[in-house]
């Protein structure tokens, strides 16, 4: 695949995943004392990183954030601009961090595909929790303990979401290995192929 065609393909993939993330913003269930909702959107960011890798994942996030400056792309019908001043700003930052971490780990961990994707997904989710807790501490004047405890109601549902995300990412990588492989690794030998393609 030529570099120009691959660039267009990467942009198209990023746009598709950005649209998916936005659509999933409409699934939101408020829980907890901090008012942070259960959403599918956080899992979509992790899926994006697992499938597209860090570079294309961050391109997806860039598209999402540019649109979100004016449009209600977040759970609860909020724009990025409105969310930046609220107590959930940490989760917004966590979306960026988790996408990058999921992509880096998924494409560079060797060995079993499902194990690599699972580790990448768990680390990515943990980064969302950590960033979210920091945001609650700074914006909602919560103690460290209270901010960490606020993540509790999400553990079970997020574990279920991660299981679905890992299975979906593995299926996509299996079905479209050449389309999804980054340009840098497309020309490498099979022995140097990232774990998710094993």
């Amino acid at each position: 695949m030529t570099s120009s065609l691959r660039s267009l393909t990467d942009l198209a993939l990023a746009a598709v995943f950005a649209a998916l993330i936005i659509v999933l913003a409409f699934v939101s269930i408020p829980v907890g004392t901090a008012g942070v909702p259960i959403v599918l959107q956080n899992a979509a960011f992790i899926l994006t990183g697992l499938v597209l890798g860090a570079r294309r994942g961050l391109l997806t996030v860039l598209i999402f954030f540019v649109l979100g400056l004016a449009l209600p792309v977040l759970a609860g019908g909020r724009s990025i601009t409105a969310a930046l001043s609220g107590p959930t700003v940490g989760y917004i930052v966590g979306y960026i961090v988790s996408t990058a971490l999921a992509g880096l780990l998924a494409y560079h961990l060797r060995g079993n595909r499902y194990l690599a994707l699972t580790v990448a997904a768990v680390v990515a989710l943990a980064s969302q929790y950590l960033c979210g807790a920091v945001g609650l501490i700074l914006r909602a004047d919560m103690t460290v303990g209270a901010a960490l405890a606020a993540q509790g109601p999400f553990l079970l549902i997020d574990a279920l979401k991660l299981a679905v995300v890992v299975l979906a990412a593995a299926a996509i990588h299996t079905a479209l290995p050449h389309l999804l492989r980054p340009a840098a690794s497309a020309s490498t030998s099979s022995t140097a192929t990232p774990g998710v393609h094993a």
Side-chain angles (χ1 to χ4, degrees):
M1 184 180 293
T2 65
S3 59
S4 59
L5 180 57
R6 179 164 290 279
S7 296
L8 288 174
T9 300
D10 289 348
L11 182 59
L13 286 170
V16 168
F17 274 81
L20 173 65
I21 293 170
I22 293 171
V23 168
L24 291 179
F26 295 98
V27 182
S28 174
I29 305 171
V31 298
T33 57
V36 180
I38 289 177
V39 295
L40 294 181
Q41 196 169 53
N42 70 319
F45 281 99
I46 295 174
L47 177 64
T48 297
L50 296 181
V51 171
L52 299 184
R55 180 180 62 82
R56 291 176 298 181
L58 289 176
L59 176 59
T60 301
V61 172
L62 176 62
I63 294 172
F64 173 82
F65 272 70
V66 168
L67 292 174
L69 292 176
L71 301 175
V73 298
L74 292 171
R78 298 170 301 153
S79 67
I80 298 290
T81 304
L84 289 178
S85 61
T88 58
V89 62
Y91 294 97
I92 307 303
V93 175
Y95 289 160
I96 303 171
V97 175
S98 66
T99 303
L101 284 176
L104 285 172
L105 293 174
Y107 272 76
H108 290 88
L109 290 176
R110 309 294 178 177
N112 181 273
R113 177 188 316 171
Y114 293 99
L115 179 59
L117 290 171
T118 299
V119 170
V122 169
V123 171
L125 179 62
S127 72
Q128 290 184 358
Y129 284 170
L130 179 59
C131 291
V134 171
L136 292 176
I137 292 168
L138 296 177
R139 290 292 177 83
D141 294 324
M142 297 179 70
T143 65
V144 173
L148 293 175
Q151 317 304 314
F154 306 100
L155 289 174
L156 179 57
I157 188 65
D158 279 343
L160 294 175
K161 286 188 285 185
L162 284 194
V164 174
V165 161
V166 167
L167 291 175
I172 294 171
H173 277 289
T174 298
L176 304 169
H178 300 295
L179 178 63
L180 295 175
R181 188 172 299 156
S185 66
S187 60
T188 60
S189 66
S190 59
T191 57
T193 303
V196 292
H197 297 295

